[in-house]
């Protein structure tokens, strides 16, 4: 089922998210608290943006567990960024542990991480692939439901025309979720979907907390508004505005952590307050409500 | 482009093929002679049958090079079989080095290895996948042209009705090659195919040596009739008949090595002499000629 | 702290120990019951003897966790032996996860696995290495206390003259433990030793359950006398006598599992009942009591 | 025998050294020109300093070859530094391929890379380890001659008192080489040493080109004075002075590359011209000559 964390704000070390907090992502790789099975030891990945160096983000992924990876420890201490994504994986039986199956996945400037699963994915995979454009199809290298979901997102994003980049991302995520639900429903096996999905482009991010299982809550997801970590001067000698962290589990005991409401997408932009948008809005209300 | 070896005969150690000969497969992973680029260092795999223990063969694959893998050295010394396949990989740029992309690939009792490539594979991949049945589709876990070709084979094998298992395999391989050629031709980019493909089921094997490039020879392929290696008593205390080795390059300086003729499939059955069959036979001659 | 299992008896598949039992070693890699921290995910190793093929045993080790390793699953299904050792590792902070640090360790025909630790190993390492002969020293490739303990064993074994191979192994293990205790005591830091150690040579094995911590029990260790698993015909068409399994935790719910008594070494020989020997016997009683 | 590169100068991407030049380090991992065997495929490592973030440098090492490692490609594009070391390994038979054996090795702020070998290392290892202080001893985690040489360096550095940090490093390297030669000579087997060694501390670096084999030249080593790569603004918005690159082979066809003279140590300091110092100077001339 996996755990992940996403950070946007003043430049900070990767270790501030992955290693240092009391309930850091590495801690969650061994002892996550809000999953029945606490272990997320089937590989990991980190991604970050270095906008002064490359439009494409860095990605470092590995098939060994996060808790014993020396390279991760070393990079986390020395790499700093104002945009960080990190993910620890708990593989499902059907998809092997190899780097192509580790999150985050990348397409152009976009990174994608997933916590959850597509219901009865094996029944859905073919139709899903058949439904996307060549560019989305060609970005699939492995066998996870998560990477296939990202193909749905890419295809949706390419089909949407919106001047506001964050809104376009949120609408694409919403559409991709709707399409996944339809594909699973049409497969007829009665499976449910758990779709906590984070997508970033280096300037904006959208993160959903969603399930269509009527008898269950979605996977846990929290956000924290403001600074939790040591902030470092940016490349231009000053910080970069407001900090927001979104995480599968609370990284610290700080009372400021809030749940992302079930069924919502949190939309992040640099230096603006986060917004929320329902995943399954009535058509008439497809606008973003500024709620925070 | 890769190198591979396949052995059928009295029980022998894996090391007899992989480690010991003067031009062993491990030697070929560093210094292959019949490729322009001598290096085949992008992972490897071995497969073998232990028919008394399991209908499904063993597969051991790794992303590290064959020449420095201690596990391979250890297994090769202690594992013996009357059926061995082994492959060292030279990855093309588009598909990453991970275990899902290492040969041999498996489906049911079948193992598949490939040396070569499908012309302009990225243009062909979607149509190829769309053309095969669900079972063949579901066996694709990675992103190599080789594994996708195996899906074509599986689909072809399932569609062919033939009482003779070896002939069914040969006809399926032939059909899969024809289908690959059609797919590439329809893609319209003018790419050519190099399809040295080995498929085994523990009792029979078929290996093609083929290209449709009118200006080039197919990749090298040799076979050796008879014993090259120390033979070991079988599980029942006796040997198991005739030995045949098929290999991308001659493993030894023995003058008995013969080229597999271009455009031919070599068909192996336990204790029978190998047969040859043209890949692109006129429809009227689709029978197996006993030529050896 | 690790978990391990050792089997001697009629030929059986590796999977009978590693995969199939309700509390198999793979299960113990995620959910061990008798350690405070249930996780043993820092690599693993298996070793087995194929006496008809090689005097040296096979060893397959990996830095990825046992529970998600496809090669282990594949080998376990197809490899059978009358002598199997397997180990899942929980690394201590000071020694990294790499193949040289995975158990079992090998020297000549001998394999060694360890569950526990040498007290304040960093203070002891130099003197330990200085105390052993060149051959024992040269067998150390990594940085674990376990591999260094094995060097103590090798040195002790070389120094002991005994016509009975099993007794020589037991005496060497006892001497190595005594030497480790002395080294730690002389380091003066007050650390304690946990030394559940298994050593095999393909015909005999010795396994200790020991700690010198007066306030704690040694790590758990059990043995099972007789058949637990499907037995397979041996290379000569018949089984090979009596089965014994020694394991950090009970593999099954069978009531026949017995604790190895604290402070004892269990001594195994083909087709003979196990014997026990105290680790720290009074000098006058340094003989093996046949107790089982 | 390995290949390496070291860079000090204005901030540049890792890719400028590792990926982009016509004869980049990745190119040298497959097709080095100045070794008999062109292959350096037994793992790799990169290290760099991020002085604003950590006094300890970053190290990223891997057992897979440099040419197919996606993480390396990704990091090289997005990580920039004013201090970079990178190494591709060709393992000798006796030491396995694992991360502990990959260069660069680290101690405190220091990084060490080696190209060459200590003559008959197996005969020397014990005495070498016995000759160094506890702190140097405790930094040895693997089994390479290179890491053991670094222990000699650490011990020598700790024993030398010199106010000039670069001179202290050069004297320590010189002393470590002398000690290695003495150890090998005393072993009596007549082996020779190849000691191209690079050591950096984030502000200074020393690199030797040396062999005591009277019938052979030392391994190749070149340096380039000035800018070869795209320079990036530093953390403070400006470049950081003069660029120097030291590399086993010329990275480019630029005529400005010069050989490091055999038997010399090149000494680098930020913003000063490189100096040279003989490895085996007569005692009376143990001063650094400013020659460049």
């Amino acid at each position: 089922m996996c755990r992940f964390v996403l950070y946007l704000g003043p430049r900070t070390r990767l270790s501030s998210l992955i290693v240092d907090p009391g309930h850091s992502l590495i801690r969650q790789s061994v002892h996550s608290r809000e999953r029945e099975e606490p272990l997320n030891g089937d590989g990991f990945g980190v991604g970050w943006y270095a906008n002064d160096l490359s439009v494409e983000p860095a990605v470092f992924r590995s098939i060994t567990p996060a808790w014993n990876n020396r390279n991760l420890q070393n990079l986390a201490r020395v790499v700093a960024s104002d945009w960080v994504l990190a993910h620890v994986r708990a593989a499902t039986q059907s998809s092997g542990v190899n780097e192509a199956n580790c999150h985050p996945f990348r397409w152009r400037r976009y990174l994608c991480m997933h916590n959850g699963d597509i219901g009865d994915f094996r029944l859905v995979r073919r139709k899903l692939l058949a439904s996307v454009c060549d560019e989305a199809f060609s970005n699939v290298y492995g066998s996870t439901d998560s990477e296939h979901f990202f193909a749905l997102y890419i295809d949706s994003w390419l089909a949407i025309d919106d001047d506001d980049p964050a809104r376009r991302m949120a609408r694409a995520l919403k559409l991709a979720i709707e399409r996944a639900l339809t594909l699973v429903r049409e497969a007829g096996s009665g499976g449910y979907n758990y779709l906590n999905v984070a997508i970033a482009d280096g300037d904006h991010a959208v993160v959903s907390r969603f399930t269509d299982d009527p008898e269950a809550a979605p996977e846990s997801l929290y956000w924290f508004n403001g600074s939790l970590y040591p902030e470092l001067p940016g490349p231009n000698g000053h910080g970069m505005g407001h900090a927001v962290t979104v995480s599968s589990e609370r990284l610290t005991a700080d009372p400021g952590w809030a749940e992302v409401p079930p069924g919502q997408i949190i939309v992040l932009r640099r230096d603006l307050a986060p917004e929320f948008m329902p995943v399954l809005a009535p058509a008439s209300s497809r606008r973003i409500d500024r709620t925070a």
Side-chain angles (χ1 to χ4, degrees), chain A:
Chain A
M1 279 295 203
C2 317
R3 303 280 84 173
F4 65 63
V5 62
L6 177 150
Y7 169 80
L8 160 65
R11 191 162 162 259
T12 195
R13 284 185 187 82
L14 304 191
S15 56
S16 299
L17 300 153
I18 295 173
V19 182
D20 302 338
H23 197 55
S24 70
L25 194 67
I26 280 188
R27 178 76 187 163
Q28 292 177 43
S29 74
V30 189
H31 290 295
S32 67
R33 291 183 190 138
E34 308 197 27
R35 293 184 57 215
E36 242 174 274
E37 165 56 60
L39 188 60
N40 297 280
D42 299 319
F44 70 87
V46 292
W48 68 92
Y49 291 87
N51 286 326
D52 57 327
L53 291 170
S54 173
V55 292
E56 288 186 5
V59 178
F60 171 61
R61 306 190 290 184
S62 172
I63 59 171
T64 60
W67 68 76
N68 69 27
N69 193 288
R70 296 279 167 113
N71 287 321
L72 180 60
Q73 295 273 354
N74 273 312
L75 289 174
R77 184 170 38 77
V78 172
V79 171
S81 175
D82 54 356
W83 258 108
V84 181
L85 296 88
H87 183 276
V88 290
R89 186 172 176 229
T92 51
Q93 288 298 21
S94 60
S95 68
V97 176
N98 65 51
E99 278 186 24
N101 288 347
C102 290
H103 311 219
F105 307 103
R106 184 172 67 189
W107 174 72
R108 296 188 188 170
R109 261 181 83 61
Y110 294 86
L111 291 175
C112 172
M113 311 185 287
H114 175 214
N115 155 218
D117 54 89
I118 293 182
D120 294 304
F121 173 60
R122 286 178 70 83
L123 301 179
V124 170
R125 188 181 176 197
R126 287 200 84 163
K127 284 204 178 128
L128 186 161
L129 283 178
S131 76
V132 302
C133 65
D134 286 356
E135 177 145 10
F137 176 88
S138 297
N139 203 60
V140 177
Y141 297 96
S143 58
T144 58
D145 53 356
S146 306
E147 194 189 22
H148 285 72
F149 180 86
F150 190 34
L152 276 184
Y153 170 84
I154 294 168
D155 188 64
S156 300
W157 184 88
L158 288 169
I160 287 173
D161 189 20
D162 197 320
D163 287 344
D164 177 336
R167 196 169 54 200
R168 184 175 178 183
M169 290 169 66
R171 288 174 56 193
L173 178 54
K174 189 172 141 47
L175 178 54
I177 293 175
E178 285 167 0
R179 290 169 66 178
L181 265 56
T182 302
L183 284 161
V184 172
R185 193 167 51 238
E186 288 174 359
S189 71
Y192 293 113
N193 303 281
Y194 289 80
L195 292 168
N196 286 16
V197 178
I199 291 173
D201 75 351
D203 288 304
H204 320 86
V206 292
V207 191
S208 62
R209 183 179 180 215
F210 179 78
T211 185
D212 59 347
D213 183 344
E215 316 231 325
E219 292 280 301
S220 59
L221 192 69
Y222 298 88
W223 67 291
F224 188 91
N225 210 2
S227 286
L228 272 170
Y229 327 104
E231 296 177 7
L232 302 163
N236 306 318
H238 54 75
M240 293 178 94
H242 196 68
V244 179
T245 308
V246 180
S247 177
S248 298
E249 306 195 1
R250 297 174 186 96
L251 297 176
T252 66
D254 192 298
W257 287 95
E259 274 198 65
V260 173
Q264 296 284 313
I265 293 170
I266 182 169
V267 182
L268 307 180
R269 305 159 195 255
R270 276 189 197 282
D271 298 329
L272 292 176
E275 299 167 309
F276 288 87
M277 178 182 177
V279 171
L280 295 184
S284 63
S285 67
R286 193 170 291 173
R287 61 186 176 79
I288 294 180
D289 297 304
R290 181 171 298 261
T291 61

